Amino acid sequence: MPSDANRVTFVVGEAEAEAGLRLDQALAARVPDLSRRRARLLLDIGGVFVDGRRVKVAGRLVRAGETVVANLGGALGRATQKTGRDARAQDEARLPPFAIVFEDEDVVVVDKPSGLLTAPTPESDRNNLASLLARRPGGAPVHVVHRIDLETSGLLVFAKTEDANRALSERFRAHDLGREYLAAVAGAFPDALRTVDRSVGGKRAVTHVAIEERLGAAATLLRCRLETGRTHQIRLHVQAEGHPVLGDPRYGGASIAAGAPRPPRMALHATVLAFAHPRTGVPLSFTSAWPADLGSWLDALRSSASR
């Protein structure tokens, strides 16, 4: 039964008398520490695949030879611990609000808050920005052109047509657009370091860095301009230089200098997004200010640094 921390895969029939069970029964029997009630919840939020297709019906009978994948992780922990339409509506009601910055018949640019997923994941097809946009009154499915992490805030563009999706996707592949992030990183980032050229996932990755503000010895506010756009590129690059993004639990930013206030979440924000309109070619540029949920923390950090 191959597995990792967030995924368990099994083939029906490997266990005796398994074929013919309800799917929630099979999951409870084969996934460690997953009760039948939690199995139904996992199905309800969309975290289970059978032979590559997402399945939500707890009473579906499993057949010998089917491959079942249970995707466990943050979505299961964040969900209201009940099944059904009302529970999922409660989940949606707790989501932070997003702001539409620009929209026409081809694209929609959104300022995403921290705590909202960009798009469906294997863990869940619910409560993400793409699905919320599609379900607006008069809305339609959108194309996910790029993503930013759950805890990262800031600007994203979605395509509304196939043509716009192809054009924008090509611009992202060619890195033919402008993207800048603000990041509060640990410690005193060196003045001399202006470009980090370090591969990510075996691919060339380049981040250009400018110091926006020094916050004593505890932190530095950086403006990071992406020349390439690899997964977690900024987080990995600053961590490799010994100055992880503050509040980043994955890449070493969970700690901060003694006496300095801790950030309420990962201090990373997509502040500039610029691209040529996919149909007209007109240059578009959007800016999002440092967000309010990090603003009071940054003020406290400034106050701490001035003492």
Side-chain angles (χ1 to χ4, degrees), residues 14 25 40 51 55 80 110 113 132 153 163 172 188 195-196 204 218 230 237 240 244 258 263 270 275 278 291 305:
E14 290 177 339
Q25 291 176 310
R40 289 195 291 270
D51 284 349
V55 176
T80 299
V110 181
L132 293 174
S153 53
D163 287 344
F172 273 86
T195 298
V196 181
R204 181 171 181 261
R230 311 304 179 194
H237 274 179
F275 56 91

Side-chain angles (χ1 to χ4, degrees), residues 106-107 143-146 157-177 274-282 284:
D106 301 291
V107 300
H143 301 271
V144 178
V145 180
H146 65 128
V157 61
F158 294 85
K160 295 174 67 175
T161 68
E162 292 282 357
D163 287 344
N165 183 46
R166 280 191 293 270
L168 287 173
S169 296
E170 179 54 37
R171 293 195 182 280
F172 273 86
R173 279 192 293 271
H175 313 301
D176 182 21
L177 68 163
F275 56 91
H277 190 279
R279 179 169 50 83
T280 67
V282 172
L284 300 174

Side-chain angles (χ1 to χ4, degrees), residues 114-267:
S114 174
L116 181 60
L117 288 165
T118 300
T121 68
E123 292 181 13
S124 178
D125 62 347
R126 309 184 65 92
N127 298 331
N128 60 80
L129 187 49
S131 67
L132 293 174
L133 288 170
R135 286 170 30 224
R136 293 178 297 164
V142 295
H143 301 271
V144 178
V145 180
H146 65 128
R147 303 173 188 237
I148 57 178
D149 298 326
L150 172 68
E151 289 196 345
T152 304
S153 53
L155 296 166
L156 284 160
V157 61
F158 294 85
K160 295 174 67 175
T161 68
E162 292 282 357
D163 287 344
N165 183 46
R166 280 191 293 270
L168 287 173
S169 296
E170 179 54 37
R171 293 195 182 280
F172 273 86
R173 279 192 293 271
H175 313 301
D176 182 21
L177 68 163
R179 281 187 290 172
E180 295 180 8
Y181 287 70
L182 290 171
V185 304
F189 199 85
D191 281 308
L193 184 57
R194 287 293 178 261
T195 298
V196 181
D197 188 340
R198 187 187 294 266
S199 66
V200 171
K203 296 180 179 179
R204 181 171 181 261
V206 180
T207 304
H208 301 285
V209 181
I211 294 173
E212 288 277 302
E213 184 178 356
R214 291 202 175 277
L215 300 155
T220 308
L221 184 63
L222 300 178
R223 180 173 293 269
C224 304
R225 179 172 62 84
L226 293 178
E227 181 175 320
T228 59
R230 311 304 179 194
T231 301
H232 297 174
Q233 177 174 313
I234 292 171
R235 297 166 66 185
L236 286 164
H237 274 179
V238 295
Q239 185 267 346
E241 298 297 334
H243 301 275
V245 175
L246 288 169
D248 185 346
R250 182 167 182 175
Y251 298 117
S255 61
I256 190 169
R262 295 180 178 275
R265 51 98 166 174
M266 187 163 63

